């Protein structure tokens, strides 16, 4: 049996005196789609950002594909990973942001090419071809030469997904990918994510889209106040939440 | 025309076909006698000024014509161009380095950068220039070797090394670096931190993030004021006339000290300064257009408006 794709053990993170993650335990198998829900400020984004070490957790271990993230263990002590190795880890973990964060000075195609050229060192001609294929996959082949400012929110988010996919990640993190979108644009992004899930990608999705969680999610995690207080198959958790606070939250978003 | 503006016009599109085109609006603009009066006064003053300048016998236009392409003047012009370009180049490099120091994690680097900016922005450039010119009074010799009075490999006479030109270059570029660092820093700060995160999440190194993601976006903010600095520098170089910098103003002064054609030679110099700043303004217009790629609305106005704006008397506040 191979290691799970993600294993978090007792992950803790504080900002100054504010404890944002207070001991997160989480196991995600390969190919699983895990949806993370919970009230604002419960630490969902911080958890995702710890997974690719954009934030340094103060305690606990995070393994992705069997590899300890952000640190190396030597003689029973943790040391920060050398930059180059941390970058390799980040390369294999895609991240999609609520506000897209496309590079505004590059066209859609150049955005998707960027990681290939600047990180993987792929030749420009090859990168262009591969980026074109990826844009086609998210349905934006005809928008390749548009700048982000000339694209709708939904189109920008699909470019952002293609940009992450270009790195051939083994894990994709989505932080509220549809929260900044007009309602009529949410569907096109969820559709791309659904295809991605069907292709076998392991995904962690912070979302308020309960329909997506129910339909596409394999596992649902409910976070509150820095802890996972309930988890399980989405249909079961959504139909019969066991915890009082889950019920209260769901009654508001459903 | 800028691509994005075109795009918007196209998407706004013509009215749907099939509808009758509505009749053109007939708008009667109110008469504004005040505006006509003001325009008349301005036109009168301009003509009158032009006439008195043209016929004024004290202006010696024939001398101006004689000297405009004089060998000595052209040499000075060339020095002014060299000084401007070189000190801007060094100033921009210094500015970028100091700005990166200011946003670094190291307190020592940040403090050093802050002290540099504080000192060179806090003292008049004129004083700095005279100071550099007289640096030999403090350090009569400059050497390479072990610091703190250790043995030296080579030494030079400071006076031989720091000529008027070198002193001018040192003064102008080090001073410019302080101003440029503030401009660069404002540019860096204007870039959404999410950009760095997105790039880091792709696995880019810090240096690459700076070079490929942050700086190109900061350029949009940095380029226009840098163009202004360049144009201002063209004029600021005239300060080096106090340390015999051999620039345009210096040679003009040297000439009128012998032939007493003060006004004519100042006009000769002014005409060259105007030519330089005009050319620089045109370059600035095209540079700004180049760097506003992908940012929709930032078309930097018309070329003619830009030239006019740059030639306004800003009197460099240094
Ligand atoms: N860099 C930071 N410095 C200080 N506090 C922070 C920082 N990042 C997050 N926080 C705080 O940590 C808490 C959890 O933030 P986080 O963004 O993880 O919540 P979230 O569950 O994603 O909320 P939301 O649904 O609003 O996105 C919040 O109280 C937030 O203010
Ligand atoms: Mg969040």
């Amino acid at each position: 049996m191979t290691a799970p794709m993600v294993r978090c053990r007792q992950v803790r993170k504080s900002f100054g005196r504010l404890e944002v993650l207070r001991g997160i335990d989480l196991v995600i198998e390969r190919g699983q789609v895990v949806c993370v829900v919970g009230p604002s400020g419960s630490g969902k984004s911080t958890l995702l950002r710890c997974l690719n070490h954009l934030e340094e957790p103060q305690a606990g271990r995070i393994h992705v594909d069997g590899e300890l993230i952000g640190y190396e263990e030597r003689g029973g002590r943790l040391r920060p990973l050398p930059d180059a190795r941390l970058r390799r880890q980040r390369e294999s973990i895609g991240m999609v942001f609520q506000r897209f964060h496309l590079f505004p000075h590059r066209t859609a195609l150049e955005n998707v090419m960027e990681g290939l050229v600047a990180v993987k060192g792929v030749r420009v001609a090859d990168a262009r071809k591969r980026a074109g294929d990826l844009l086609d996959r998210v349905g934006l082949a005809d928008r390749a030469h548009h700048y982000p400012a000339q694209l709708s929110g939904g189109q920008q988010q699909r470019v952002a997904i293609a940009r992450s996919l270009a790195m051939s990640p083994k894990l994709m993190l989505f932080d509220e990918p549809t929260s900044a979108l007009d309602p009529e644009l949410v569907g096109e992004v969820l559709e791309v994510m659904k295809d991605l899930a069907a292709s076998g990608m392991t995904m962690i999705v912070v979302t308020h889209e309960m329909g997506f969680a129910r339909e596409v999610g394999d596992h649902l995690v409910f976070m509150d106040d820095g802890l996972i207080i309930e988890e399980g198959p989405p249909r079961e958790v959504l139909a019969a939440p066991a915890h009082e606070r889950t019920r209260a939250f769901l009654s508001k978003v459903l | 025309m800028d691509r994005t503006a075109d795009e918007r016009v196209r998407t706004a599109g013509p009215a749907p076909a099939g509808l009758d085109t509505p009749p053109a609006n007939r708008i009667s603009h109110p008469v504004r006698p005040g505006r006509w009066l003001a325009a008349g006064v301005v036109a009168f003053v301009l003509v009158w000024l032009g006439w008195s300048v043209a016929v004024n016998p004290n202006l010696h236009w024939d001398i101006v014509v004689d000297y405009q392409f004089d060998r000595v003047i052209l040499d000075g012009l060339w020095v002014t161009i060299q000084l401007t370009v070189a000190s801007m180049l060094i100033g921009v490099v210094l500015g970028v380095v100091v700005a990166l120091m200011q946003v670094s994690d190291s307190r020592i680097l940040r403090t050093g950068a802050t002290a540099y900016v504080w000192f060179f922005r806090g003292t008049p450039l004129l004083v700095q220039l005279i100071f550099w010119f007289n640096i030999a009074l403090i350090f009569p010799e400059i050497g390479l070797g072990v610091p703190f009075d250790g043995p030296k490999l080579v030494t030079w006479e400071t006076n031989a090394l720091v000529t008027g030109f070198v002193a001018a270059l040192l003064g102008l570029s080090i001073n410019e670096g302080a101003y440029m660092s503030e401009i660069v820093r404002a540019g860096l700060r204007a870039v959404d931190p999410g950009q760095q995160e997105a790039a880091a999440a792709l696995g880019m190194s810090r240096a690459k993030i700076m070079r490929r993601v942050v700086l190109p976006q900061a350029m949009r903010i940095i380029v226009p004021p840098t163009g202004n600095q360049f144009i201002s520098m063209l004029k600021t170089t005239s300060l080096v006339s106090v340390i015999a910098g051999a620039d345009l103003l210096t040679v003009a002064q040297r000439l009128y000290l012998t032939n007493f054609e003060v006004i004519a030679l100042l006009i000769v110099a002014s005409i060259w300064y105007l030519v330089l700043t005009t050319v620089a303004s045109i370059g600035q217009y095209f540079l700004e257009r180049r760097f506003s790629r992908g940012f929709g609305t930032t078309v930097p106005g018309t070329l003619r408006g830009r030239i006019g704006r740059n030639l306004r008397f800003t009197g460099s506040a240094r």
Side-chain angles (χ1 to χ4, degrees):
Chain A
M1 183 64 209
T2 48
M5 184 55 87
V6 177
R7 181 198 293 281
C8 299
R9 261 179 298 160
Q10 282 301 305
V11 174
R12 289 171 184 275
K13 171 76 194 174
S14 336
F15 294 107
R17 299 234 307 279
L18 178 70
E19 277 196 292
V20 178
L21 300 178
R22 302 190 296 140
I24 299 284
D25 287 302
L26 183 64
V27 175
I28 298 172
E29 300 298 339
R30 277 151 210 284
Q32 264 195 328
V33 175
V34 174
C35 294
V36 180
V37 300
S40 180
S42 55
K44 309 179 297 288
S45 298
T46 307
L47 176 62
L48 283 201
R49 294 160 55 80
C50 284
L51 283 171
N52 66 358
H53 213 69
L54 283 178
E55 299 288 358
E56 268 178 48
Q58 274 113 6
R61 311 263 153 113
I62 297 172
H63 290 267
V64 172
D65 201 15
E67 219 183 310
L68 181 61
I69 294 294
Y71 300 98
E72 57 187 341
E73 207 157 6
R74 267 204 251 136
R77 289 187 50 131
L78 289 188
R79 294 156 193 277
L81 264 191
D83 246 23
R85 284 179 56 201
L86 176 60
R87 293 203 299 271
R88 291 217 72 105
Q89 293 185 337
R90 284 187 177 147
E91 207 182 309
S92 63
I93 302 174
M95 189 166 206
V96 173
F97 302 85
Q98 183 176 352
R99 309 213 53 89
F100 330 132
H101 297 327
L102 289 181
F103 305 130
H105 57 305
R106 302 200 188 278
T107 62
L109 189 75
E110 289 166 347
N111 264 278
V112 182
M113 289 167 63
E114 181 67 12
L116 290 171
V117 174
V119 179
K120 288 195 184 293
V122 174
R123 288 220 325 271
V124 170
D126 299 341
R128 184 169 295 134
K129 165 116 185 31
R130 177 143 168 64
D133 293 346
L134 280 162
L135 281 181
D136 196 25
R137 180 167 165 194
V138 299
L140 289 173
D142 58 332
R143 292 288 185 277
H145 301 293
H146 285 54
Y147 285 95
Q150 302 167 320
L151 298 172
S152 75
Q155 292 170 337
Q156 289 186 56
Q157 193 60 296
R158 286 188 279 154
V159 173
I161 293 174
R163 177 175 69 176
S164 289
L165 289 179
M167 308 306 285
S168 317
K170 45 194 176 195
L171 170 67
M172 284 284 288
L173 311 174
F174 294 85
D175 192 357
E176 304 199 31
T178 57
S179 298
L181 299 179
D182 291 340
E184 74 270 22
L185 301 178
V186 169
E188 61 189 64
V189 173
L190 292 182
E191 205 55 41
V192 167
M193 291 170 60
K194 209 164 120 184
D195 288 347
L196 190 57
S199 77
M201 177 65 75
T202 313
M203 296 162 57
I204 306 181
V205 186
V206 175
T207 185
H208 295 300
E209 298 291 331
M210 295 306 155
F212 178 83
R214 190 181 293 120
E215 200 187 328
V216 184
D218 301 303
H219 195 76
L220 188 120
V221 168
F222 181 78
M223 281 181 72
D224 191 19
D225 199 16
L227 287 172
I228 295 176
I229 60 172
E230 185 164 355
E231 59 180 313
R235 281 166 207 282
E236 289 174 26
V237 176
L238 291 175
H243 204 287
E244 176 58 39
R245 278 185 286 183
T246 319
R247 260 197 299 270
F249 177 76
L250 291 178
S251 72
K252 267 182 268 165
V253 295
L254 283 179
Chain B
M1 217 14 231
D2 159 289
R3 187 197 313 209
T4 51
D6 270 345
E7 199 70 40
R8 208 164 309 112
V9 171
R10 227 179 293 131
T11 44
L19 293 176
D20 291 333
T21 37
N25 290 339
R26 240 177 290 153
I27 301 166
S28 51
H29 294 281
V31 191
R32 293 204 172 86
R35 191 192 284 175
W36 283 105
L37 187 67
V41 170
V42 169
F44 172 77
V45 170
L46 281 179
V47 169
W48 180 50
L49 262 179
W51 176 81
S52 26
V53 165
V55 302
N56 190 322
N58 297 327
L59 287 174
H60 298 190
W61 285 106
D62 50 327
I63 310 278
V64 172
V65 172
D66 279 353
Y67 275 99
Q68 196 65 52
F69 293 96
D70 185 273
R71 182 78 233 169
V72 179
I73 289 286
L74 290 184
D75 284 347
L77 176 67
W78 178 232
V79 170
T80 288
I81 294 173
Q82 283 176 306
L83 265 182
T84 303
V85 172
S87 44
M88 276 312 288
L89 282 178
I90 301 172
V92 166
V93 171
L94 271 177
V96 170
V97 170
V98 172
L100 291 178
M101 282 166 68
Q102 277 173 327
V103 298
S104 90
D105 294 331
S106 152
R107 168 161 302 178
I108 296 178
L109 290 184
R110 284 201 311 265
T111 311
T114 309
Y116 167 75
V117 173
W118 170 78
F119 185 83
F120 286 98
R121 288 211 315 175
T123 53
L125 175 57
L126 191 52
V127 174
Q128 291 172 30
L129 284 170
I130 300 172
F131 180 88
W132 284 113
F133 190 58
N134 293 295
I135 191 85
L137 298 179
I138 317 175
F139 303 110
E141 284 189 336
I142 294 175
L144 268 184
V146 183
F148 298 112
D149 288 333
K152 298 276 180 283
L153 285 173
V154 267
T155 56
W156 295 277
E157 286 275 325
T158 303
N159 263 336
L161 213 58
V162 184
T163 59
F165 185 84
V166 171
L169 192 59
L170 281 170
L172 291 173
S173 56
I174 293 176
N175 182 262
E176 188 58 30
Y179 285 88
M180 279 310 303
S181 79
E182 293 294 289
I183 290 173
V184 173
R185 195 159 66 120
L188 295 180
R189 243 202 324 247
V191 178
D192 178 358
Q195 291 289 310
Q196 300 195 39
E197 298 211 324
L202 286 177
M204 261 194 240
S205 66
R206 282 177 64 124
K208 277 207 179 118
I209 294 175
M210 250 316 146
R211 217 174 52 235
R212 299 189 58 110
V213 176
V214 177
L215 276 178
Q217 292 181 57
M219 285 308 262
R220 193 177 56 100
I221 312 290
I222 293 171
V223 163
T226 304
N228 294 341
Q229 291 294 106
F230 185 90
I231 286 157
S232 160
M233 180 66 87
L234 282 168
K235 298 173 282 181
T236 305
T237 50
S238 60
L239 282 183
V240 311
S241 60
V242 298
I243 57 170
D247 71 308
L248 182 54
L249 183 60
T250 310
V251 296
Q253 284 177 329
R254 230 179 261 152
L255 287 175
Y256 70 59
L257 285 179
T258 54
N259 67 7
F260 307 107
E261 293 288 351
V262 179
I263 299 300
L265 279 157
L266 287 180
I267 289 175
V268 166
S270 300
I271 288 175
W272 277 124
Y273 283 121
L274 279 168
V275 168
L276 291 179
T277 47
T278 304
V279 171
S281 300
I282 295 171
Q284 185 187 22
Y285 172 81
F286 286 104
L287 257 182
E288 284 181 28
R289 227 172 50 158
R290 163 78 174 65
F291 279 104
S292 56
R293 263 186 330 178
F295 290 91
T297 54
T298 48
V299 194
T302 64
L303 182 52
R304 250 176 65 210
R306 163 48 52 87
I307 294 170
R309 206 165 343 124
N310 277 337
L311 300 193
R312 250 183 238 157
F313 290 98
T314 44
S316 64
R318 306 184 187 182

